[in-house]
């Protein structure tokens, strides 16, 4: 490599400290919110056997066909993939450790996911999700729980313009019947299909319905509807969910075209969408996946989950004008001279004992240049110690946003700071 600086991989972002503050805040809100519903944290590896995703997500999906970072481990020949989503890993972990043996599970995870997509606003190659999964729950009460959870989070975050789209995909038999009718419908109109659609005709015809190609919209609109094939159980399940949502005043739109890009979904699927992010308008998506546990080799167990795109939610928040006003630092300790330095580090520790966030100036320099750094740190107060103060075991406290400096004995320092804080 020459003198050129090394750049991050395209589509994989650094999150710098000013922005990371917002992430920390968001993660805290999310943790509290999930705790409020009894969901427990689970942490899986970022890398899994490639076969897991092929089996769970489906061979003929965008993710598996063209978005996965898969590689062969040069040291032992294993076929591995950077996780493109969390559900498959989560279910694998639950089965591997037999977590469903005693009780159903409410779980969540968060962290980076990897998909080789064309980077653009709201679409990255490393992005972050918060994923929520409930395993061992069959009824529509769980579908409702998860949707109500989301509604509460939007409220907590102050997001008023995300709307709920809902659909049901029914169960396996209905989907098979619908699939055959779909294939027949598209086969009768082969000349109207684009390349993508032709390729998917026999492998994943449902995905054709998801096509954005305007030339095919009429054909898609005229396609046989899954709704007409649904079994009574699935219809009752869907009706019961809607009943609960109505009771809680959650509005939604039924979107029969909502099919989701992963094969494992059945019955309820949903997306929370905003118009503020252009084509990347889905901030949260999920649904029921009653077949996945057995598909990955477990004893059959119904399940339901969703994932939120953290980057998209944070863009909504910042573009909505959200700012964190809390400073990162409470006190900046300025000092000059050898004795002052000794007192300064003792004072800094005392302040931290009282749970204040303290930067002890490092690297010397004039009082003036140190005060500039104190200012730039955003600290609320500076504590100034020169040799005079050190001799008399005193400190000067200066509120950074204006106000008179006071000189107090070290033993009175905390009380003086607390008085200032009360006046803020
Ligand atoms: P899209 O239709 O936007 O490609 P998707 O259906 O592929 O989304 P899911 O697999 O359902 O997305 O993932 C859940 C959420 O994760 C999405 O709703 C979105 O908010 C976010 N997400 C998915 N892919 C990306 C990406 N490449 N960059 C940023 N966020 C993403
Ligand atoms: Mg996608």
């Amino acid at each position: 490599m020459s003198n050129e600086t090394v750049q991050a991989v395209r589509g994989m972002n650094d999150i710098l400290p000013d922005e990371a503050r917002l992430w920390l805040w968001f993660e805290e809100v999310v943790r509290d919110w999930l705790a409020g519903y009894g969901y427990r944290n689970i942490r899986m590896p970022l890398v899994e056997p490639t076969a897991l995703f092929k089996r769970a997500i489906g061979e003929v999906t965008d993710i598996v066909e063209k978005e996965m970072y898969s590689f062969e481990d040069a040291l032992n020949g294993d076929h591995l993939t950077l996780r493109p989503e969390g559900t498959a890993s989560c279910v694998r972990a639950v089965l591997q450790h037999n977590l469903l043996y005693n009780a159903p599970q409410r779980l969540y995870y968060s962290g980076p996911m990897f998909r080789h997509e064309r980077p653009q606003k709201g679409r990255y190659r490393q992005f972050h999700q918060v994923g929520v999964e409930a395993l061992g729950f069959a009824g529509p009460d769980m579908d409702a729980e998860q949707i109500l959870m989301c509604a509460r989070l939007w409220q907590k975050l102050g997001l008023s313009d995300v709307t709920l789209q809902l659909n049901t995909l029914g169960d396996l038999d209905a989907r098979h019947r619908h699939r055959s009718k779909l294939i027949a419908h598209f086969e009768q109109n082969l000349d109207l299909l684009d390349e993508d659609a032709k390729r998917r005709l026999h492998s994943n015809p449902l995905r054709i319905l998801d096509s954005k190609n305007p030339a095919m919209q009429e054909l898609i609109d005229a396609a046989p509807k899954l709704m007409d094939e649904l079994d009574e159980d699935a219809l009752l399940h869907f009706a019961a969910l809607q009943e609960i949502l109505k009771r809680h005043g959650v509005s939604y739109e039924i979107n029969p075209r909502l099919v989701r890009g992963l094969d494992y979904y059945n019955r309820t699927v949903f997306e929370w969408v905003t118009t503020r992010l252009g084509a990347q308008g889905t901030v949260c998506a999920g649904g029921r996946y009653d077949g996945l546990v057995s598909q990955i080799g477990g004893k059959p167990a119904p399940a339901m989950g969703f994932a939120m795109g953290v980057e998209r939610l944070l863009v909504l928040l910042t573009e909505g004008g959200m700012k964190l006003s809390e400073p990162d630092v409470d006190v900046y300790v300025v000092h000059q001279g050898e004795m002052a330095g000794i007192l300064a580090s003792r004072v800094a520790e005392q302040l931290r004992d009282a749970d204040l966030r303290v930067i002890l100036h490092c690297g010397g320099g004039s009082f003036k240049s140190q005060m500039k750094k104190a200012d730039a740190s955003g600290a609320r107060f500076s504590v100034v110690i020169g040799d005079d103060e050190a001799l008399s075991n005193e400190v000067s406290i200066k509120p950074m946003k204006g106000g008179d400096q006071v000189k107090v004995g070290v033993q009175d320092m905390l009380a003086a700071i607390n008085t200032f804080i009360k006046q803020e």
Side-chain angles (χ1 to χ4, degrees):
M1 198 159 289
S2 65
N3 291 337
E4 273 176 51
T5 53
V6 179
Q7 304 281 311
V9 176
R10 197 165 114 80
M12 304 200 179
N13 300 314
D14 298 307
I15 299 158
L16 303 179
D18 281 343
E19 200 191 336
R21 295 178 63 196
L22 185 63
W23 283 71
L24 286 173
W25 171 84
F26 176 80
E27 283 156 7
E28 212 174 284
V29 171
V30 163
R31 252 207 303 276
D32 289 347
W33 162 68
L34 287 160
Y37 286 85
Y39 282 72
R40 297 167 75 215
N41 187 227
I42 181 169
R43 297 170 186 236
M44 299 82 65
L46 302 194
V47 178
E48 296 276 359
T50 301
L52 172 68
F53 299 115
K54 288 195 174 169
R55 218 199 291 178
I57 299 171
E59 296 266 4
V60 196
T61 55
D62 280 349
I63 293 179
V64 171
E65 274 184 343
K66 52 190 186 201
E67 295 175 359
M68 292 209 304
Y69 283 93
S70 298
F71 58 96
E72 193 177 320
D73 184 336
L75 299 176
N76 61 9
D78 285 352
H79 294 276
L80 303 176
T81 293
L82 299 184
R83 65 179 186 192
E85 57 107 52
T87 304
S89 313
C90 182
V91 171
R92 182 213 34 80
V94 163
L95 294 180
Q96 183 171 336
H97 303 287
N98 218 6
L99 294 191
L100 283 178
Y101 183 70
N102 278 322
Q105 296 284 331
R106 286 180 170 85
L107 303 171
Y108 79 91
Y109 47 83
S110 62
M113 305 293 162
F114 304 86
R115 296 185 194 175
H116 197 104
E117 303 196 72
R118 193 170 68 77
Q120 51 196 294
K121 190 178 176 190
R123 194 174 292 286
Y124 310 102
R125 291 180 173 173
Q126 175 176 323
F127 63 99
H128 296 75
Q129 286 184 339
V130 175
V132 176
E133 320 283 355
L135 296 104
F137 298 90
D141 48 353
M142 179 46 77
D143 308 32
E145 169 173 310
Q146 294 197 346
I147 288 171
L148 288 170
M149 280 174 80
C150 294
R152 179 183 293 274
L153 181 62
W154 313 147
Q155 204 180 14
K156 273 185 189 244
L157 295 172
L159 294 174
S160 52
D161 59 352
V162 280
T163 58
L164 175 60
Q165 305 228 328
L166 205 58
N167 190 23
T168 178
L169 303 178
D171 295 313
L172 219 52
D173 282 351
R175 292 171 70 175
H176 283 323
R177 285 196 298 277
H178 178 235
R179 187 190 147 100
S180 318
K181 289 190 182 172
L182 264 188
I183 294 178
H185 170 74
F186 288 127
E187 270 178 340
Q188 281 157 23
N189 298 280
L190 264 187
D191 46 328
L192 293 174
L193 297 183
D194 62 17
E195 281 313 305
D196 240 19
K198 277 186 188 139
R199 200 167 42 84
R200 292 201 153 123
L201 180 53
H202 292 277
S203 54
N204 197 349
L206 204 62
R207 285 291 277 165
I208 302 179
L209 299 179
D210 213 17
S211 163
K212 307 249 166 10
N213 183 352
M216 291 188 355
Q217 292 314 302
E218 208 175 314
L219 183 64
I220 289 173
D221 288 339
K225 303 278 179 286
L226 175 64
M227 210 49 102
D228 299 332
E229 302 295 332
L230 294 188
D231 295 307
E232 201 184 338
D233 279 355
L235 284 170
L236 286 175
H237 185 106
F238 198 42
L241 165 62
Q242 293 178 60
E243 185 62 38
I244 305 175
L245 294 182
K246 283 190 186 126
R247 223 186 297 140
H248 284 268
V250 175
S251 42
Y252 57 87
E253 185 191 335
I254 293 187
N255 176 2
R257 300 268 298 266
L258 188 67
V259 296
R260 313 279 307 111
L262 301 86
D263 277 358
Y264 51 62
Y265 288 107
N266 71 312
R267 292 205 179 178
T268 310
V269 288
F270 66 91
E271 288 192 358
W272 291 90
V273 193
T274 166
T275 49
R276 278 205 277 143
L277 296 174
Q280 275 63 252
T282 305
V283 292
C284 175
R288 204 158 252 297
Y289 51 90
D290 296 329
L292 184 60
V293 171
S294 59
Q295 203 173 308
I296 295 184
K299 214 169 95 207
M304 164 100 189
F306 63 89
M308 309 185 276
V310 179
E311 282 83 354
R312 293 185 193 180
L313 282 169
L314 292 184
V315 168
L316 278 187
L317 288 173
T318 36
E319 288 187 353
M322 141 128 206
K323 278 213 172 58
L324 298 178
S325 48
E326 251 308 273
D328 291 327
V329 188
D330 299 310
V331 183
Y332 196 104
V333 182
V334 164
H335 56 95
Q336 201 178 41
E338 196 179 327
M339 275 180 63
I342 293 168
L343 178 57
S345 67
R346 184 153 59 82
V347 155
E349 287 304 320
Q350 278 173 15
L351 293 167
R352 292 178 188 124
D353 286 343
D355 284 337
L356 289 164
R357 297 162 303 171
V358 182
I359 293 183
L360 173 62
H361 180 80
C362 288
S366 67
F367 271 126
K368 197 169 158 213
S369 76
Q370 293 191 33
M371 284 310 290
K372 271 196 189 149
K373 296 211 164 78
D375 223 14
S377 76
R380 302 151 83 183
F381 307 98
S382 58
V383 164
V384 184
I385 306 172
D387 281 334
D388 284 355
E389 280 95 348
L391 266 178
S392 53
N393 205 35
E394 288 178 309
V395 299
S396 295
I397 304 169
K398 182 175 159 42
M400 298 304 285
K401 282 199 215 94
D404 290 335
Q405 181 166 320
V406 298
K407 197 187 237 188
V408 296
V410 168
Q411 70 284 353
D412 298 324
M413 170 179 68
L414 266 175
I417 287 181
N418 281 328
T419 310
F420 274 129
I421 289 178
K422 283 205 195 92
Q423 287 164 3
E424 266 186 335

